[in-house]
Amino acid sequence: MLYNNKSTQQHHDSHHHCQGECHNIAHNHHQQSAQSADTHQTQNSVASVGRQEQDSSAKNDISDPPEDPERQSQDIKLIWKIQGMDCAHCAKKIENGIKTLPNITHSKITFSTEKLVVLVPQKDQKIIKQIEDKVVELGYTPIFQSSDNHADQHEHSHIIDKKALLPLAILGVLIVISYLITLFNHQAGQYAFIATAIIGLIPILKEAILLTRSGTPFAIESLMSISAIGALFIGAAEEATMVIFLFMIGEMLEGIATNKAKKGISSLAKLMPEETVIIIDGKRKTVASHSLKPDDIIEISSGGRLPADVILVSEQANIDESALTGESIPVNYLYGDKILAGSLVVDNTIQLKVISQAGQNAVDRILQLIEDAEERKAPIERFIDKFSRYYTPAIALFALLVILIPPLLLGEDWYTWIYRGLTLLLIGCPCALVISTPAVITSALSSAAKLGVLIKGGAALEHIGSLKMIAFDKTGTLTEGKPQVTDIINRGLAVNDLLAIVASIESGSHHPLAIAIVDYTKQQDITFSEATNRKAIAGIGIQGELNQKIYYVVSPNKIDTVSVPLLNDDAKLIERLENAGKTVVVAVTDQALLGIIALQDVLRTDAKPAIKALHQLGLKTLMLTGDNQRAAKAIAGQLGMDYRAQLLPADKLVEIEKIGKTTTIAMVGDGINDSPAMKAATIGIAMGSGTDVALETAEVALSKNSLSSLPTLIRLARFANRNIKQNITIALGIKLIFLITSLFGLTGLWLAVLADSGTTAIVTANALRLLKVKK
């Protein structure tokens, strides 16, 4: 079997002699000539933090959601799982109903995860019962949750609720009986249809009254009740009965479609095993997964899923991450590597150390992001919400005018215009329009999560689909971020002695170039000791003392400030190396050049195909780097993209802001120094291996840490935007057609209710196509 080989990536901190990123990656240091003692101490503390993150941090590669009322408040948070919701409109009914209750600070319901969150001043059974009674009164089933743990929310959901079929079946049988009675006795048949309509109308009317009392007077139930009662009063009992029957069928179809959409989200929660084997003092014990704590040692057998974010304790393991990243080929992890919750163990039994708190693993973070996404509505979604608040009352008023004006002013027949007015009333329900956008966004977010892309809300999704340009940081984003020593040219001393001197001065530094030189020296089995009096020379380089002699490691263009000028031959050699895309540092004393060392960062294997795919999608690409012009030109040339070189973090910010004035642009990065530019861009995209600051700043996180996810993300976002436009066109188009035909008497109550429920089912089914998007 073929496997991806995932080597342990080293988390590079910014060099503490530099402001976030070297102006020239070849050691143009910018600060701290007077703070050398503090420098070394700070570097050690950063290294310690880095080790803690590698070994036991509970942080995930998914950022925390933004602050909201439930995080800022000191109130008690109560959580329920709500069963029986068919659409986002149902969720709004519950939220409005809860807000009418006393002692409620804040309420929020998320349709996609069926979670109701209520903030109350204090927790007591009276308030809990009051909330549950209101939810039951509205026709839904609340299940109290003891904790905000998504993994606890397992349930066996069915696409069709068999209990919901019973009222529909009874009404259908009664309609058939009424029709048969009509064949033998027309008058008795009319009474049978009236009785059947009343039986079918009772639960709908009851819910309409409850919704009106709860602050939702223009719900579809209210409009249906008025139309059905009106039809009975004008003697159209058969049509009143069929309207109710078709409405119930439409509600069932809508429920089937939306349950499929919710399954895409709930399948993520089901990745979490309910029980896990934990090892305590060498003994194995089965415990509930939600009880796991950081530093617990667990054992997972082949075919089992990880219940938390973990660090591998065993020597190696092959892990299937397809449910989280979309990558079908198992990844080979080594001792000490971090693995995300929900991943599947492929081959043998392994031991792992838990690093995430309960309810804070990768799967929980994804579900939390999807929940918070409903708060970050897309601009088009906010417009539709506002439009629908005025649409239904406006149609209801128009229907009233249609009923009154022709008979009163024009002497027309009352029966005809009451019938047409009632038909128009059914068209006033905005269900299809309201659900047209959130259904698409929920499906798209779910599909993206399965492909290893986490998107923070509908607004971000809409912006991604409109991008014209994508800017990239170079180091760690387009390249591996691991420079390698390629050339060593010695002058006046042996190569080993040159490497020993440079490694002594660079020892302890966290800069990628320094790490590369020190590691290379160790690989050559060259012994060295750390130099004394090491300190940065602002904007120039670094110096250190060995055997009472001062040595400098600097960028070639700064050599004049600490030593004699370069000879022409050496200058030409350095120019050739830099033209080849290499970064050069020189080791000198105040009197002579000791040697030249060239390093080069290699491109990520997925960089070329990803950039090519983006170009094929019509996007422009740009590389922003602090590296020198020649090195930047060489990397950009390999990728066929534009570039800007020798940029400080502040310069990157200015560049993004300038471009952002004329076009939509995304910024892709992985470090703290990328965060300002990511924040200024239309969309910030963070690599999964990036710093927490970068992940929190970004609107999108590539959890798979792969650039190949980018073209997939763009295609998905564009598909979602097209889908939203299609849904809005379908919803408004059908409404407009039936508005005109109903006004002129071409369509009746039957077709009006069928059009309403049918349109809702069509736009939901159209949105479900996003769940089938593959790489």
Side-chain angles (χ1 to χ4, degrees), residues 464-750:
I464 294 164
S466 63
L467 288 174
K468 304 297 182 187
M469 178 182 285
I470 300 182
F472 295 85
D473 171 50
K474 180 178 80 73
T475 307
T477 302
L478 291 172
T479 65
E480 293 287 355
K482 299 175 185 177
Q484 298 174 359
V485 175
T486 58
D487 303 86
I488 304 169
I489 298 95
N490 55 319
R491 294 286 186 263
L493 77 169
V495 170
N496 284 8
D497 293 337
L498 170 64
L499 286 171
I501 290 170
V502 176
S504 296
I505 296 169
E506 295 285 18
S507 182
S509 171
H510 291 277
H511 192 284
L513 293 179
I515 292 170
I517 293 171
V518 171
D519 287 347
Y520 181 83
T521 304
K522 290 177 179 178
Q523 289 168 11
Q524 305 306 309
D525 293 327
I526 299 171
T527 57
F528 62 90
S529 57
E530 189 171 319
T532 57
N533 297 323
R534 292 173 59 253
K535 65 179 180 179
I537 308 171
I540 297 172
I542 188 170
Q543 72 177 52
E545 186 176 332
L546 289 168
N547 301 323
Q548 299 182 338
K549 191 170 184 179
I550 303 295
Y551 295 90
Y552 304 89
V553 179
V554 298
S555 173
N557 60 1
K558 299 295 183 182
I559 193 170
D560 292 350
T561 61
V562 295
S563 186
V564 295
L566 289 167
L567 297 175
N568 283 339
D569 289 346
D570 291 328
K572 288 178 181 178
L573 173 62
I574 289 171
E575 186 177 1
R576 284 199 300 274
L577 290 169
E578 289 184 339
N579 284 339
K582 298 177 182 179
T583 300
V584 179
V585 296
V586 293
V588 298
T589 64
D590 57 357
Q591 297 294 322
L593 172 68
L594 302 179
I596 301 166
I597 300 177
L599 305 95
Q600 190 169 37
D601 196 0
V602 294
L603 280 174
R604 297 169 65 109
T605 55
D606 55 2
K608 280 187 179 180
I611 299 299
K612 182 180 178 181
L614 291 172
H615 289 165
Q616 289 172 345
L617 289 169
L619 288 161
K620 295 179 180 178
T621 54
L622 173 68
M623 182 178 74
L624 304 178
T625 178
D627 211 342
N628 64 67
Q629 289 283 350
R630 295 187 187 95
K633 184 178 180 180
I635 293 292
Q638 292 180 59
L639 296 170
M641 63 195 302
D642 197 4
Y643 70 94
R644 306 283 188 276
Q646 293 181 290
L647 301 177
L648 294 170
D651 299 327
K652 290 182 181 181
L653 174 61
V654 170
E655 194 70 32
I656 290 291
E657 287 178 337
K658 184 171 72 175
I659 296 170
K661 290 177 181 178
T662 58
T663 189
T664 50
I665 183 170
M667 175 68 194
V668 185
D670 70 332
I672 293 173
N673 51 20
D674 300 320
S675 297
M678 288 164 64
K679 194 72 175 174
T682 310
I683 286 292
I685 302 175
M687 301 297 289
S689 62
T691 63
D692 291 330
V693 174
L695 290 165
E696 287 169 8
T697 302
E699 287 86 5
V700 177
L702 306 180
S703 64
K704 187 183 171 185
N705 191 28
S706 170
L707 289 173
S708 62
S709 301
L710 269 178
T712 305
L713 170 63
I714 299 297
R715 291 189 189 97
L716 179 66
R718 289 180 178 178
F719 183 25
N721 284 354
R722 287 197 304 272
N723 201 292
I724 288 171
K725 290 173 184 175
Q726 290 166 2
N727 278 356
I728 292 171
T729 303
I730 291 168
L732 288 178
I734 292 177
K735 293 284 184 187
L736 181 61
I737 290 169
F738 276 84
L739 186 70
I740 295 169
T741 56
S742 298
L743 187 61
F744 288 99
L746 300 176
T747 51
L749 290 170
W750 295 27

Side-chain angles (χ1 to χ4, degrees), residues 306-554:
L306 304 186
D309 294 343
V310 295
I311 286 176
L312 183 61
V313 175
S314 299
E315 186 176 338
Q316 68 89 34
N318 291 312
I319 304 294
D320 179 359
E321 299 178 316
S322 58
L324 290 172
T325 67
E327 178 59 63
S328 58
I329 301 174
V331 178
N332 182 240
Y333 281 93
L334 303 177
Y335 171 84
D337 282 348
K338 179 181 174 181
I339 313 174
L340 298 180
S343 301
L344 182 74
V345 178
V346 174
D347 42 17
N348 47 20
T349 300
I350 57 173
Q351 292 186 0
L352 312 108
K353 182 168 74 172
V354 175
I355 60 171
S356 61
Q357 298 282 354
Q360 288 294 313
N361 60 57
V363 173
D364 290 314
R365 293 290 187 97
I366 292 171
L367 291 169
Q368 188 64 54
L369 275 174
I370 292 171
E371 288 176 8
D372 289 345
E374 296 199 8
E375 296 297 308
R376 298 186 180 94
K377 292 184 176 180
I380 186 68
E381 190 177 359
R382 288 196 296 270
F383 168 75
I384 287 172
D385 282 350
K386 190 174 182 181
F387 174 79
S388 64
R389 285 200 294 270
Y390 298 102
Y391 169 78
T392 304
I395 290 291
L397 178 61
F398 181 61
L400 181 63
L401 293 175
V402 165
I403 291 171
L404 297 177
I405 291 176
L408 291 176
L409 299 183
L410 303 175
E412 295 287 340
D413 176 41
W414 278 98
Y415 176 91
T416 300
W417 291 99
I418 289 174
Y419 185 88
R420 292 181 185 181
L422 295 174
T423 304
L424 286 174
L425 203 59
L426 290 177
I427 297 168
C429 177
C431 282
L433 188 61
V434 169
I435 203 173
S436 61
T437 303
V440 173
I441 290 170
T442 301
S443 298
L445 296 182
S446 174
S447 190
K450 291 178 181 177
L451 294 171
V453 180
L454 306 178
I455 307 171
K456 298 180 182 178
L461 184 70
E462 187 173 331
H463 288 315
I464 294 164
S466 63
L467 288 174
K468 304 297 182 187
M469 178 182 285
I470 300 182
F472 295 85
D473 171 50
K474 180 178 80 73
T475 307
T477 302
L478 291 172
T479 65
E480 293 287 355
K482 299 175 185 177
Q484 298 174 359
V485 175
T486 58
D487 303 86
I488 304 169
I489 298 95
N490 55 319
R491 294 286 186 263
L493 77 169
V495 170
N496 284 8
D497 293 337
L498 170 64
L499 286 171
I501 290 170
V502 176
S504 296
I505 296 169
E506 295 285 18
S507 182
S509 171
H510 291 277
H511 192 284
L513 293 179
I515 292 170
I517 293 171
V518 171
D519 287 347
Y520 181 83
T521 304
K522 290 177 179 178
Q523 289 168 11
Q524 305 306 309
D525 293 327
I526 299 171
T527 57
F528 62 90
S529 57
E530 189 171 319
T532 57
N533 297 323
R534 292 173 59 253
K535 65 179 180 179
I537 308 171
I540 297 172
I542 188 170
Q543 72 177 52
E545 186 176 332
L546 289 168
N547 301 323
Q548 299 182 338
K549 191 170 184 179
I550 303 295
Y551 295 90
Y552 304 89
V553 179
V554 298

Side-chain angles (χ1 to χ4, degrees), residues 85-396:
M85 292 190 296
D86 291 327
C87 64
H89 197 54
C90 299
K92 199 66 182 174
K93 293 174 191 173
I94 297 171
E95 194 169 294
N96 289 340
I98 298 298
K99 286 177 181 176
T100 63
L101 298 175
N103 300 318
I104 301 297
T105 306
H106 176 74
S107 67
K108 181 178 74 174
I109 188 162
T110 308
F111 170 64
S112 56
T113 52
E114 301 178 313
K115 191 169 81 172
L116 170 66
V117 177
V118 182
L119 297 187
V120 294
Q122 61 183 14
K123 181 179 178 180
D124 64 52
Q125 290 303 314
K126 185 179 178 182
I127 292 177
I128 292 174
K129 187 176 187 305
Q130 176 181 267
I131 294 168
E132 290 183 346
D133 287 347
K134 173 57 74 173
V135 174
V136 171
E137 187 181 297
L138 292 170
Y140 306 97
T141 306
I143 301 173
F144 189 72
Q145 302 284 328
S146 58
S147 67
D148 191 8
N149 190 344
H150 296 94
D152 291 340
Q153 300 176 16
H154 294 208
E155 66 172 40
H156 300 285
S157 61
H158 301 279
I159 296 299
I160 299 177
D161 184 356
K162 293 180 180 179
K163 289 183 179 178
L165 286 174
L166 186 60
L168 185 64
I170 292 171
L171 189 64
V173 169
L174 290 175
I175 289 173
V176 172
I177 292 171
S178 299
Y179 176 72
L180 293 174
I181 293 172
T182 305
L183 294 177
F184 296 100
N185 187 321
H186 185 269
Q187 188 68 29
Q190 286 298 304
Y191 288 125
F193 270 115
I194 291 170
T196 301
I198 292 171
I199 291 170
L201 185 60
I202 288 172
I204 299 172
L205 182 60
K206 182 181 176 183
E207 189 169 353
I209 294 169
L210 289 173
L211 290 171
T212 302
R213 287 167 54 192
S214 300
T216 313
F218 291 103
I220 181 60
E221 289 81 3
S222 302
L223 302 179
M224 271 295 311
S225 299
I226 294 170
S227 294
I229 292 170
L232 288 175
F233 270 106
I234 62 174
E238 297 97 326
E239 291 198 278
T241 307
M242 288 306 299
V243 162
I244 295 167
F245 184 66
L246 290 172
F247 170 73
M248 293 173 71
I249 291 176
E251 291 287 287
M252 184 188 70
L253 292 174
E254 185 182 329
I256 291 171
T258 50
N259 278 335
K260 283 186 178 179
K262 286 188 290 188
K263 277 189 72 178
I265 305 297
S266 61
S267 63
L268 289 170
K270 292 176 183 177
L271 292 176
M272 307 301 295
E274 295 185 12
E275 294 181 333
T276 305
V277 174
I278 186 172
I279 299 176
I280 303 174
D281 297 329
K283 296 180 179 179
R284 289 163 177 77
K285 180 182 177 183
T286 301
V287 298
S289 296
H290 63 78
S291 67
L292 294 174
K293 301 184 297 294
D295 295 331
D296 282 346
I297 301 298
I298 60 174
E299 186 173 85
I300 307 294
S301 302
S302 175
R305 290 196 179 272
L306 304 186
D309 294 343
V310 295
I311 286 176
L312 183 61
V313 175
S314 299
E315 186 176 338
Q316 68 89 34
N318 291 312
I319 304 294
D320 179 359
E321 299 178 316
S322 58
L324 290 172
T325 67
E327 178 59 63
S328 58
I329 301 174
V331 178
N332 182 240
Y333 281 93
L334 303 177
Y335 171 84
D337 282 348
K338 179 181 174 181
I339 313 174
L340 298 180
S343 301
L344 182 74
V345 178
V346 174
D347 42 17
N348 47 20
T349 300
I350 57 173
Q351 292 186 0
L352 312 108
K353 182 168 74 172
V354 175
I355 60 171
S356 61
Q357 298 282 354
Q360 288 294 313
N361 60 57
V363 173
D364 290 314
R365 293 290 187 97
I366 292 171
L367 291 169
Q368 188 64 54
L369 275 174
I370 292 171
E371 288 176 8
D372 289 345
E374 296 199 8
E375 296 297 308
R376 298 186 180 94
K377 292 184 176 180
I380 186 68
E381 190 177 359
R382 288 196 296 270
F383 168 75
I384 287 172
D385 282 350
K386 190 174 182 181
F387 174 79
S388 64
R389 285 200 294 270
Y390 298 102
Y391 169 78
T392 304
I395 290 291

